[in-house]
């Protein structure tokens, strides 16, 4: 069947099924073949790969993925898209479509059901849940090689910046703990139907085999990072001492900062991942020993 990656063919299929775009599902379909080429090329897919696509929409990218990959599993929440996908993917015997919510489905089970090898995730993500999707993929330790995704431009910037900039925060640190981020291409709003209000970016996150820093307790590290950025306009010490779940008091926070040669008024956005790892390890020890 004809490629869907243009305005005419996308409109035709939308009209044929009288499909109503649902804003609440972040439905902005790609209508630009050259962007599809760039995404598929950046994802570096071979016949050996099993690809997980999140939100196939009408199947525009799914068709391309199916042509390159050994297998594609596409998880789509909107049941109204199921008959459309049945038609647009009819020519491919290596695609499985699951009518599920990606935040609820058991991704470990999907991987196990499809050969158990580390997957490559490729998606034009629904923007309203970009961060939870990325965090779920990494924090659940699903075996994966890379995540190549279209996201809102500002979110891509946040994923790849270093300390000392306004965009740097918990998302930057989490992504950079698990993966190497690389911007692939900027994508103007005109490449989608309907046109979104924001510009987009394709970013590739290549999973590290081993995180770049060692930490005593990964969950604790991320609890510390989140608390440090909770009160963006306030100091890191305030964020940590006020975080109910952490169970560290102000003296402990200030004591550890002093041990590290850091000022009590330092802000989270100035610390590297290495320093956060050191801070969280020291806080863990101070809390366990009831120090300061
Ligand atoms: N891949 C298509 C494309 O590039 O044209 C569609 C991309 S569109 C930005 C996002 C897609 O994700 C929509 O099809 C939407 O219905 C789907 N989606 C939204 N929330 C979802 C969720 N929680 N789980 C699975 N799919 C979801």
């Amino acid at each position: 069947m004809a490629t869907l990656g243009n305005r005419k063919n996308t409109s035709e299929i939308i009209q044929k099924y009288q499909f109503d775009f649902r804003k609440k599902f972040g439905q902005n379909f790609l209508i630009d073949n050259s962007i599809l080429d760039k995404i598929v090329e950046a994802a570096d897919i071979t016949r050996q790969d099993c690809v997980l696509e999140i939100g196939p929409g009408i199947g525009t990218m799914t068709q391309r993925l199916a042509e390159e990959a050994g297998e594609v599993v596409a998880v789509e929440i909107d049941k109204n898209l199921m008959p459309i996908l049945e038609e647009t993917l009819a020519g491919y015997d290596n695609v499985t479509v699951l009518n599920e919510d990606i935040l609820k489905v058991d991704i470990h089970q999907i991987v196990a059901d499809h050969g158990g090898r580390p997957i490559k995730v490729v998606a034009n993500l629904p923007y309203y849940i970009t961060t939870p999707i990325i965090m779920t993929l990494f924090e659940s330790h699903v075996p994966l090689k890379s995540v190549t995704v279209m996201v809102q431009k500002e979110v891509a910037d946040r994923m790849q910046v270093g300390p000392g900039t306004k965009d740097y925060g918990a998302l930057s640190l989490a992504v950079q703990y698990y993966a190497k981020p690389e911007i692939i291409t900027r994508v103007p709003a005109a490449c989608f139907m309907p046109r979104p209000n924001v510009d987009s970016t394709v970013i590739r996150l290549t999973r590290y085999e081993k995180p770049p820093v060692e930490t005593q307790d990964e969950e604790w590290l991320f609890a510390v990072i989140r608390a440090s950025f909770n009160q963006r306009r306030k100091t890191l010490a305030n964020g940590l001492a006020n975080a109910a779940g952490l169970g560290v008091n102000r003296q402990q926070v200030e004591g550890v900062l002093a041990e590290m040669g850091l000022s009590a008024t330092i802000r989270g956005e100035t610390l590297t991942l290495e320093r956060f790892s050191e801070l969280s390890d020291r806080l863990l020890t101070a809390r366990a020993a009831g120090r300061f």
Side-chain angles (χ1 to χ4, degrees), residues 10 19 22 24-31 36 39 53-62 74-79 81 85 98-105 122-129 133 150 191-193:
T10 297
F19 176 75
R22 288 219 254 175
K24 72 163 186 170
F25 287 148
Q27 290 175 338
N28 301 95
F29 298 162
L30 246 178
I31 51 165
L36 280 170
I39 298 174
E53 186 190 6
I54 299 163
I58 58 170
T60 311
M61 192 148 68
T62 326
V75 177
E76 171 58 61
I77 197 169
D78 188 351
K79 72 171 178 352
L81 287 166
L85 287 167
L98 303 175
N99 185 198
E100 301 274 1
D101 179 342
I102 191 66
L103 293 177
K104 296 196 180 132
V105 74
V122 185
N124 170 14
L125 286 179
Y127 292 175
Y128 73 108
I129 43 170
I133 291 176
M150 175 97 70
C191 297
F192 300 89
M193 181 194 291

Side-chain angles (χ1 to χ4, degrees), residues 220-290:
W220 171 256
L221 167 65
F222 286 110
V224 166
I225 288 174
R226 273 193 286 270
S228 301
F229 288 97
N230 249 351
Q231 296 170 301
R232 191 96 209 174
R233 305 269 147 252
K234 303 232 172 78
T235 62
L236 174 144
N238 271 332
L240 290 171
N242 294 340
L246 285 183
V248 290
N249 59 39
R250 181 166 301 274
Q251 284 84 336
Q252 287 173 322
V253 174
E254 289 180 357
V256 165
L257 289 176
E259 269 182 350
M260 292 174 65
L262 296 172
S263 144
T265 60
I266 195 162
R267 287 171 191 277
E269 48 267 45
T270 61
L271 290 192
T272 60
L273 178 58
E274 289 73 18
R275 289 298 255 172
F276 264 112
S277 170
E278 185 185 346
L279 171 69
S280 77
D281 281 356
R282 284 176 183 267
L283 278 174
L284 197 60
T285 310
R287 191 186 65 162

Side-chain angles (χ1 to χ4, degrees), residues 11-82:
S11 296
E12 268 175 24
I13 201 108
I14 295 294
Q15 274 162 23
K16 177 172 173 189
Y17 286 87
Q18 301 196 323
F19 176 75
D20 280 328
F21 286 96
R22 288 219 254 175
K23 225 180 170 170
K24 72 163 186 170
F25 287 148
Q27 290 175 338
N28 301 95
F29 298 162
L30 246 178
I31 51 165
D32 188 315
N33 268 323
S34 69
I35 302 295
L36 280 170
D37 287 341
K38 286 187 187 160
I39 298 174
V40 174
E41 188 190 329
D44 189 23
I45 295 160
T46 70
R47 284 282 172 221
Q48 272 64 53
D49 288 319
C50 176
V51 173
L52 170 66
E53 186 190 6
I54 299 163
I58 58 170
T60 311
M61 192 148 68
T62 326
Q63 294 180 333
R64 301 289 290 272
L65 295 169
E67 274 155 27
E68 307 290 329
E71 255 192 292
V72 180
V73 181
V75 177
E76 171 58 61
I77 197 169
D78 188 351
K79 72 171 178 352
N80 293 340
L81 287 166
M82 294 302 120

Side-chain angles (χ1 to χ4, degrees), residues 171-208:
L171 180 65
S172 332
L173 284 151
V175 164
Q176 293 166 32
Y177 176 81
Y178 291 110
K180 181 173 128 207
E182 290 162 282
I183 301 279
I184 303 299
T185 187
R186 304 282 180 202
V187 184
C191 297
F192 300 89
M193 181 194 291
R195 208 185 149 113
N197 295 327
V198 293
D199 283 334
S200 301
T201 293
V202 178
I203 189 166
R204 177 178 58 212
L205 312 172
T206 309
R207 181 91 152 95
Y208 291 128

